[in-house]
């Protein structure tokens, strides 16, 4: 039981540093400096321990209000991470609650399995989603993801989480109609759990540590699955050297999601525009989500995924005249500061959206509709990032899944 004599035992989801300090103390100081105390007036006001007792006639409601006042939410309602709920979450992985995944930049809260589980409970995740969340958190903690940059930049970048392998269907992670939301618990809550980890363990609060100019809806959640049933090409994770039947998460960085209606020519048109400006400047790796109908058509024409990348690289180019007039060229980056591959391409009259074809992440997702709906997700750079992590399932996974379905 989580309560005794009216007390609810709640796992503290906030980040504690390896030195013993708590990131909320830094956040409270930054909030005072920025005049943002009113947004979370109880920042830093909590017992410095692993579990907190919350009492009262409606302890759940009281705990939710405390979490809001302490700045531990993303603005949406949360599930209170009671010790029992967190234990249930941890049961669905092969690690101990105190195992450490790493430190979350920039404020370096230690991401223990238990802390991640607490934030996953808050996000509304079912326990069976936990192996996906752990793999995603490991991916964003990889140095190539540049968590410090993602958390502190004035750009509106967000992690894009792509699930591939048999587990996607087993957990009902949507890869078809409405894959980017809304309406699917797995997609919505897995991505949200990663965001809460970034906020509560890394300190990525808007206006205090995070200075993204506008933010974007993908900063709540941006998670979907590969539509392997309708894809004519090998699964995404096999490109990272994993077995076809492996379960994996691939993470890229997305500035936004741009809907593209039509064929591959329309995708190339969007890529060859200012939408790719920051990506070109930092040699980023964009994600192209191809509609099943278009993927089938391309495959019927004998095109592999590598062929599609090569075609988009050749056709999706930014005309030099447009580049010369762009804000990027006239206001942001002076001559001599662009990558060499950009200036070399400019001398030929047009700049590709990426340094090389392999930098384009191609995935099939979405519903099979007569008028294909694709998405182009330009990437904030540095360093170029496409990170794949295989999921680790507990030995009794089949039994756990069977129990959870009853």
């Amino acid at each position: 039981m989580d309560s005794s004599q009216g007390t609810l035992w709640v796992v503290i989801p906030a980040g504690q540093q390896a030195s013993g300090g708590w990131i909320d103390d830094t956040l409270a100081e930054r909030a005072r400096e920025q005049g943002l105390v009113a947004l979370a007036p109880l920042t830093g006001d909590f017992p410095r321990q692993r579990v907190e007792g919350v009492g009262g006639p409606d302890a759940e409601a009281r705990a939710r209000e405390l979490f809001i006042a302490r700045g531990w939410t993303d603005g949406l309602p949360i599930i209170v991470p009671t010790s029992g709920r967190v234990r249930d979450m941890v049961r669905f992985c092969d690690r101990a609650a105190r195992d450490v995944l790493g430190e979350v930049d920039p404020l370096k809260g230690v991401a223990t399995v238990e802390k991640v589980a607490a934030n996953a409970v808050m996000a509304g995740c079912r326990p069976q989603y936990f192996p996906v969340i752990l793999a995603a958190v490991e991916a964003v903690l990889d140095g190539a993801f540049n968590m410090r940059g993602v958390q502190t930049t004035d750009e509106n970048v967000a992690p894009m989480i792509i699930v591939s392998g048999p587990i996607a269907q087993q957990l009902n992670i949507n890869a078809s109609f409405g894959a980017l939301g809304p309406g699917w618990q797995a997609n919505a809550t897995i991505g949200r759990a990663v965001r809460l980890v970034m906020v509560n363990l890394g300190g990525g609060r808007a206006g205090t540590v995070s200075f993204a100019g506008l933010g974007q809806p993908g900063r709540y959640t941006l998670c979907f699955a590969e539509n392997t049933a309708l894809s004519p090409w090998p699964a995404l994770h096999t490109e990272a050297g994993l077995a076809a039947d492996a379960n994996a998460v691939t993470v890229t960085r997305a500035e936004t999601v741009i809907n593209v209606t039509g064929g591959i020519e329309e995708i190339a048109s969007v890529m060859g525009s200012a939408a790719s400006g920051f990506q070109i400047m930092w040699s980023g790796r964009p994600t192209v989500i191809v509609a099943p109908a278009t993927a089938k058509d391309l495959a019927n024409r004998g095109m592999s995924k590598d062929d599609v990348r090569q075609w988009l690289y050749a056709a999706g180019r930014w005309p030099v005249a447009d580049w010369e007039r762009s804000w990027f060229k006239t206001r942001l980056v002076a001559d001599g500061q662009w990558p060499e591959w950009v200036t070399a391409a400019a001398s030929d009259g047009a700049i590709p959206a990426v340094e090389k074809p392999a930098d384009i992440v191609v995935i099939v997702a979405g519903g099979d509709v007569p008028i294909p709906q694709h998405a182009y997700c330009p990437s904030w750079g540095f360093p170029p990032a496409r990170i794949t992590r295989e999921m680790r399932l507990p030995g009794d996974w089949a039994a756990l899944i069977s129990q959870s379905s009853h």
Side-chain angles (χ1 to χ4, degrees):
M1 297 291 290
D2 286 318
S3 60
S4 175
Q5 299 179 344
T7 299
L8 195 70
W9 298 105
V10 179
V11 175
I12 299 291
Q16 188 173 15
Q17 298 156 336
S19 63
W22 293 78
I23 72 165
D24 289 56
D25 293 330
T26 300
L27 290 170
E29 182 179 348
R30 298 278 177 84
R32 287 192 294 271
E33 292 171 355
Q34 301 294 330
L36 298 174
V37 173
L39 296 179
L42 296 185
T43 295
D45 185 3
F46 61 92
R48 305 313 170 93
Q49 56 200 39
R50 181 178 145 266
V51 177
E52 173 185 11
V54 180
D58 192 343
E60 290 256 0
R62 171 62 178 157
R64 285 193 293 268
E65 289 302 315
L66 281 173
F67 275 41
I68 292 170
R70 292 168 178 169
W72 290 345
T73 80
D74 54 5
L76 296 172
I78 55 99
I79 305 297
V80 178
T82 63
S83 57
R85 290 168 183 159
V86 172
R87 280 196 304 270
D88 287 344
M89 188 74 67
V90 173
R91 284 178 58 233
F92 277 76
C93 75
D94 67 343
R95 313 180 199 207
R98 294 184 180 275
D99 284 357
V100 174
L101 304 181
E103 297 177 341
V104 187
D105 279 331
L107 299 188
K108 295 190 176 300
V110 177
T112 64
V113 168
E114 183 177 67
K115 289 283 188 182
V116 174
N119 282 278
V121 170
M122 291 168 60
C125 292
R126 295 185 178 188
Q128 54 264 43
Y129 303 163
F130 199 45
V132 185
I133 296 160
L134 287 176
V137 170
E138 285 186 324
V140 299
L141 293 186
D142 188 296
F145 184 74
N146 188 6
M147 177 66 80
R148 174 177 292 276
V150 169
Q151 293 265 60
T152 60
T153 181
D154 52 8
E155 289 300 298
N156 304 309
V157 62
M160 172 177 278
I161 301 165
I162 306 165
V163 182
S164 57
I167 202 169
Q169 184 173 5
Q170 188 177 45
L171 298 182
N172 200 25
I173 302 173
N174 189 12
S176 184
F177 292 95
L180 296 183
W184 293 78
Q185 184 179 7
N187 299 47
T189 61
I190 291 169
R192 187 187 183 200
V194 174
R195 172 56 56 180
L196 288 174
V197 165
M198 292 170 67
V199 171
N200 290 329
L201 301 184
R205 292 193 196 175
T208 52
V209 166
S210 172
F211 291 95
L214 277 175
Q216 56 150 308
R219 284 191 158 215
Y220 283 102
T221 179
L222 188 52
C223 172
F224 64 102
E226 179 179 19
N227 194 335
T228 53
L230 295 181
S231 174
W233 301 310
L236 183 66
H237 60 271
T238 64
E239 298 175 21
L242 298 178
D245 61 351
N247 297 303
V249 165
T250 297
V251 172
T252 64
R253 295 185 299 246
E255 280 278 349
T256 188
V257 177
I258 303 172
N259 186 72
V260 182
T261 301
I264 191 172
E265 296 80 8
E266 281 69 33
I267 299 174
S269 176
V270 175
M271 292 178 70
S273 70
S276 296
F278 268 107
Q279 172 183 288
I280 289 170
M281 189 166 58
W282 295 112
S283 304
R285 292 178 178 168
T287 300
V288 175
I289 305 173
V290 181
T294 297
K296 179 181 179 181
D297 175 63
L298 295 171
N300 287 341
R301 290 193 248 163
M303 295 181 70
S304 67
K305 200 183 289 188
D306 281 338
D307 292 331
V308 171
R309 291 190 185 97
Q310 184 64 53
W311 193 94
L312 290 171
Y313 172 79
R317 301 205 167 199
W318 200 7
V320 167
D322 293 344
W323 175 62
E324 291 283 2
R325 291 192 297 265
S326 72
W327 176 84
F328 300 93
K329 184 72 162 57
T330 60
R331 300 283 297 278
L332 186 62
V333 181
D335 289 338
Q337 294 181 325
W338 289 87
E340 289 184 9
W341 67 268
V342 174
T343 54
S347 66
D348 292 331
I351 303 166
V354 292
E355 182 177 4
K356 53 189 182 299
D359 289 337
I360 304 172
V361 179
V362 175
I363 183 169
V364 177
D368 193 8
V369 294
I371 302 177
Q373 302 296 315
H374 319 284
Y376 174 55
C377 308
S379 176
W380 178 84
F382 193 75
R386 172 194 175 171
I387 304 158
T388 297
R389 288 289 181 273
E390 186 171 7
M391 294 176 210
R392 294 168 49 178
L393 302 180
D396 57 347
W397 176 253
L400 288 169
I401 288 295
S402 177
Q403 293 167 12
S404 68
S405 65
H406 298 313

